[in-house]
Amino acid sequence: MLILWLLTLGGNIVAPPTVHISDLITQSRSYEGRVIVTEGEAVGDLMLRGEYGWVNLSDGSNAIGVYAPSKQLEQIKHLGRYEIVGDRVSVTGTFYDACPVHSGETDIHASSVAIASEGSVVDEILDQVRLKLSLELALLAILAFLFRQFVRRAGGGQRK
Amino acid sequence: MFLKPQKEDFRVIGYYLGKISAGLGITMLVPLFVAFLFRELNPALDFISGIGVSLALGCLLTFSRPKKTDISLINGVLIAGISWLLAMALSAVPLFLSGHYVSFLDSLFETMSGLTTTGLSLTQDLDHLAHSYNLWRHVTHFLGGQGVVVIALAFFIKGVSGAFSLYVGEARDEKILPNVIATARFIWLVTLVYFLLGSIVLTIIGLRLGIGPGRAIFHAVCIFMAGWDTGGFTPQSQSILYYHSLSYEIATFIIFFLGSINFGLHYLVWNGRRRELWRDIETRTYIATVTVTVFITLLGLVQLPFFANLPSALRVGFYQVLSAHTGTGFMTVTASQFSRWNDLALIGIILAMAVGGCACSTAGAIKTLRIGIIFKGFWRQMKMILMPEQGIVIEKIHHFRDTILGDNQIAAAGLIFLAYIFLYFAGSLVGVLCGYQFLPSLFESVSAAANVGHTIGITATTMPAVLKVTYILQMWIGRFEFMAIFGLFGFLISWAKGR
């Protein structure tokens, strides 16, 4: 029984809670200073600054900065931008609502960073509806211009 | 007796609205170029659509040129006010087509927020927004901050004898140089010089932060436009928090602070009269109100359990107050964190937002010059009470030059002050009616009406449409310092009752 209890306890220690980024942002006080696991899409830019660096993870609604060793961050190959789906990154680390090291900002100090799933570059397909609309509106502008010139030449729009 | 508007008045208004509409279409060539640069095909098509609509409307409105080139004051005010509503609708076309907005109302909200340099955003999935759309959001800050009409005067409209009416109509009344076209061009000169300097500095910092060269330039240009024009949009969803950098905070702070200073003072300092910075009633009041609001906010922040040390509270508090006071709205905290600040800290931020920056700058709200004049008015009144009955009290103020404080100045400042207070509370009343608590409602309302852009979390796509419309109106009315609304009512009354 004692061994079983110790195993359970051990399990609790090595398995920190998995928390959504939005929950970290909205219920930040509950997780202050705790080791958590979270997952999100790497977005924007990979900001490597010597030994350590930053990446921002997003869950679509909220985003958070992750501070981690640059070597771990270098695994990230795709960063979410227009027509790019960023790598889904799983982070284990300490969450800070107001980080004492980084002047009170909300962040995660990662102890481990892993790629949960690789991102991809989306091939942009020309939208036929948009193409038609833009051509029609460009034509409308040309016709309006010609109409204005015609009216002015006919004397209707001339300043007298 | 009111004079009924004549057919020619409508022709003048339509003609200049057409010019501004066409000018806006030409401006959309900038994001179109960026779309091609970043190979963003579908966004490029959306900008062609936007250009098409703007130019078509511009051509239709200008086909009949007015007989007189003179623009009366009421027509100037109307042209300026309506041109912003028109610019809001036309600028929203490419953004709405992007698919990043839930409704056309949301894209209208976004462009009004951009043009009025507010910075409240309803963009969905901002982190995946194409560079061209993102740049366009920031260009709207630039257009609005400099003034749609100021741009038109500087570049598109030549030899208009009623240029001053248009200029005044856009809530600018200071002639830095003898004529307003020269003034408009000077404002652009100052802006372009700082644009080059600011963008270079932000690019260098971005590169040092680890951002790639192309993206560092893109971020720098966007952040400069938003900072200098005291806007508040940022290319990423986390605002300035995205960069995790003190140097980026300092650089943006300098940019938005310079943007909030009176262009007249810029002119004097550029001409070597640096002492004016310390002598002017406007900057003195600015220093006083910043000190008071920073003190109140910090007093609130140190009571919170969040901040592990005083330097953290100072960095966050100082930046947020200055960002609020200048009307910028850059954030280094999340909206969720803001909502957990105590009442005292929030009151500090609300007061800073409500006061705003200097007159004839890119900042909005009541403005420090009016606060200074009202304070001097109180001081004069106190002295009058203490003086013997026959005594005469003369109070002087220094704003570019020494002048005697007149009753009309105090009355004008007091009237606008009261109008803003009414606008702030009217918006918060709508917020409360929509089910939000009073203090968050007041916070968001002041942020919208004072063209700041700080959010406590109310501004979201899920907020009621009536609140979105309220904030759009507040942003518009606030940016024009009530000129547009007075002008519109005046015009309607003249139309209905005039002879």
Side-chain angles (χ1 to χ4, degrees):
Chain A
M1 281 299 283
L2 183 68
I3 292 165
L4 268 175
W5 180 79
L6 281 171
L7 278 174
T8 319
L9 187 71
N12 284 339
I13 291 167
V14 292
T18 303
V19 190
H20 286 290
I21 291 170
S22 286
D23 291 336
L24 285 176
I25 299 291
T26 54
Q27 299 157 37
S28 49
R29 293 311 296 167
S30 322
Y31 300 103
E32 170 67 23
R34 285 176 63 186
V35 176
I36 50 95
V37 177
T38 193
E39 200 177 292
E41 182 193 358
V43 290
D45 304 88
L46 197 60
M47 293 178 270
L48 304 178
R49 300 172 194 173
E51 205 180 329
Y52 283 84
W54 288 92
V55 70
N56 293 293
L57 298 188
S58 167
D59 66 357
S61 307
N62 284 289
I64 191 166
V66 174
Y67 184 66
S70 292
K71 280 197 174 172
Q72 292 198 29
L73 292 176
E74 279 167 0
Q75 307 170 66
I76 301 168
K77 300 295 174 206
H78 296 92
L79 289 148
R81 293 176 196 168
Y82 177 65
E83 301 293 12
I84 299 175
V85 179
D87 292 340
R88 275 202 81 75
V89 178
S90 176
V91 169
T92 306
T94 310
F95 170 78
Y96 294 103
D97 181 26
C99 179
V101 184
H102 299 110
S103 303
E105 71 171 76
T106 305
D107 63 17
I108 299 168
H109 287 206
S111 53
S112 87
V113 174
I115 306 295
S117 63
E118 262 193 47
S120 59
V121 178
V122 182
D123 286 330
E124 194 177 17
I125 301 161
L126 192 70
D127 188 335
Q128 294 300 318
V129 178
R130 278 170 156 163
L131 180 65
K132 196 170 164 242
L133 182 72
S134 62
L135 287 174
E136 282 170 356
L137 290 169
L139 188 67
L140 180 73
I142 293 166
L143 288 175
F145 177 75
L146 292 173
F147 174 66
R148 189 185 75 164
Q149 295 305 100
F150 173 75
V151 170
R152 281 189 177 177
R153 277 197 191 149
Q158 288 297 326
R159 193 177 282 146
K160 287 172 184 168
Chain B
M1 187 186 76
F2 296 110
L3 288 175
K4 200 178 183 79
Q6 303 297 304
K7 200 176 167 186
E8 185 64 11
D9 291 309
F10 289 100
R11 198 177 282 179
V12 167
I13 293 166
Y15 180 77
Y16 286 104
L17 286 180
K19 283 257 181 190
I20 288 164
S21 172
L24 194 75
I26 293 166
T27 317
M28 281 189 209
L29 290 172
V30 176
L32 179 66
F33 171 74
V34 171
F36 285 125
L37 196 72
F38 284 93
R39 294 178 187 172
E40 295 167 349
L41 221 52
N42 289 321
L45 295 176
D46 295 340
F47 282 105
I48 291 171
S49 297
I51 292 167
V53 174
S54 306
L55 291 183
L57 191 67
C59 287
L60 291 175
L61 287 171
T62 53
F63 86 92
S64 177
R65 281 191 283 200
K67 285 175 189 162
K68 56 179 184 183
T69 53
D70 194 22
I71 304 168
S72 66
L73 185 62
I74 184 80
N75 286 351
V77 170
L78 265 181
I79 292 166
I82 300 171
S83 69
W84 279 58
L85 295 176
L86 187 73
M88 167 186 74
L90 294 173
S91 311
V93 172
L95 289 185
F96 175 63
L97 293 172
S98 73
H100 282 264
Y101 296 88
V102 173
S103 62
F104 191 62
L105 179 64
D106 283 16
S107 47
L108 289 176
F109 183 98
E110 190 80 6
T111 48
M112 182 53 93
S113 177
L115 288 165
T116 55
T117 71
T118 304
L120 291 168
S121 181
L122 290 180
T123 310
Q124 295 280 287
D125 194 15
L126 178 60
D127 295 321
H128 289 94
L129 191 69
H131 291 88
S132 48
Y133 298 129
N134 222 337
L135 184 81
W136 182 235
R137 292 170 69 239
H138 292 84
V139 168
T140 60
H141 270 340
F142 210 50
L143 296 177
Q146 300 311 113
V148 172
V149 169
V150 169
I151 294 166
L153 284 173
F155 301 111
F156 299 117
I157 300 173
K158 286 175 187 165
V160 183
S161 50
F164 188 65
S165 306
L166 285 171
Y167 186 71
V168 171
E170 207 166 42
R172 289 185 195 273
D173 54 2
E174 300 205 19
K175 279 200 277 183
I176 300 163
L177 292 162
N179 74 67
V180 286
I181 294 182
T183 300
R185 286 183 182 154
F186 172 75
I187 290 173
W188 269 94
L189 175 72
V190 174
T191 299
L192 288 176
V193 169
Y194 281 120
F195 176 75
L196 281 175
L197 285 173
S199 300
I200 290 168
V201 169
L202 286 174
T203 303
I204 293 167
I205 295 172
L207 290 170
R208 287 176 62 87
L209 296 182
I211 302 173
R215 294 267 299 172
I217 294 170
F218 177 76
H219 279 268
V221 168
C222 288
I223 293 291
F224 177 84
M225 286 196 280
W228 171 257
D229 289 294
T230 59
F233 282 160
T234 49
Q236 302 287 149
S237 61
Q238 291 155 281
S239 194
I240 298 300
L241 200 56
Y242 172 82
Y243 303 98
H244 313 286
S245 161
L246 177 65
S247 44
Y248 223 86
E249 282 176 35
I250 293 170
T252 51
F253 163 76
I254 293 168
I255 291 166
F256 65 63
F257 183 71
L258 286 171
S260 72
I261 298 289
N262 194 313
F263 281 107
L265 269 176
H266 278 286
Y267 180 75
L268 294 178
V269 172
W270 277 38
N271 285 292
R273 288 169 63 185
R274 290 189 188 86
R275 276 191 62 216
E276 287 298 319
L277 270 177
W278 317 114
R279 287 183 69 203
D280 203 286
I281 183 174
E282 204 169 20
T283 38
R284 285 186 176 191
T285 313
Y286 206 173
I287 293 164
T289 52
V290 164
T291 309
V292 170
T293 50
V294 165
F295 180 73
I296 294 171
T297 307
L298 287 180
L299 212 60
L301 288 187
V302 292
Q303 293 171 18
L304 291 172
F306 313 160
F307 298 104
N309 47 45
L310 188 65
S312 294
L314 267 173
R315 177 172 160 183
V316 171
F318 191 75
Y319 191 89
Q320 288 315 311
V321 172
L322 262 296
S323 176
H325 209 308
T326 55
T328 310
F330 281 158
M331 288 173 70
T332 53
V333 292
T334 63
S336 171
Q337 256 188 337
F338 243 151
S339 67
R340 284 178 282 113
W341 282 20
N342 56 22
D343 289 355
L344 194 60
L346 288 180
I347 286 168
I349 298 283
I350 291 170
L351 284 174
M353 291 195 292
V355 172
C358 295
C360 196
S361 72
T362 62
I366 296 168
K367 308 255 167 72
T368 52
L369 179 61
R370 293 197 182 100
I371 300 289
I373 287 172
I374 292 167
F375 182 78
K376 278 276 188 182
F378 274 121
W379 184 242
R380 193 185 73 168
Q381 201 63 30
M382 261 174 61
K383 284 207 263 187
M384 279 169 80
I385 293 165
L386 296 172
M387 288 273 284
E389 264 182 51
Q390 294 84 355
I392 299 168
V393 177
I394 294 172
E395 194 66 42
K396 280 185 179 175
I397 57 166
H398 183 85
H399 182 51
F400 304 143
R401 59 188 173 275
D402 282 329
T403 46
I404 293 168
L405 184 66
D407 287 337
N408 53 346
Q409 274 178 298
I410 301 168
L415 185 71
I416 298 290
F417 176 86
L418 284 177
Y420 267 108
I421 299 297
F422 174 77
L423 190 65
Y424 296 154
F425 279 99
S428 55
L429 180 67
V430 178
V432 170
L433 289 171
C434 288
Y436 298 98
Q437 286 186 329
F438 174 69
L439 202 62
S441 296
L442 182 68
F443 186 98
E444 213 80 353
S445 167
V446 174
S447 180
N451 305 132
V452 179
H454 273 337
T455 179
I456 203 162
I458 292 178
T459 299
T461 52
T462 49
M463 72 176 168
V466 66
L467 203 53
K468 288 177 189 172
V469 175
T470 304
Y471 289 160
I472 288 174
L473 287 172
Q474 280 189 295
M475 290 188 262
W476 179 64
I477 295 168
R479 172 61 180 81
F480 279 93
E481 299 185 349
F482 307 91
M483 286 287 281
I485 202 85
F486 292 158
L488 196 63
F489 275 120
F491 190 82
L492 290 174
I493 290 167
S494 312
W495 197 14
K497 293 192 170 180
R499 288 178 190 175

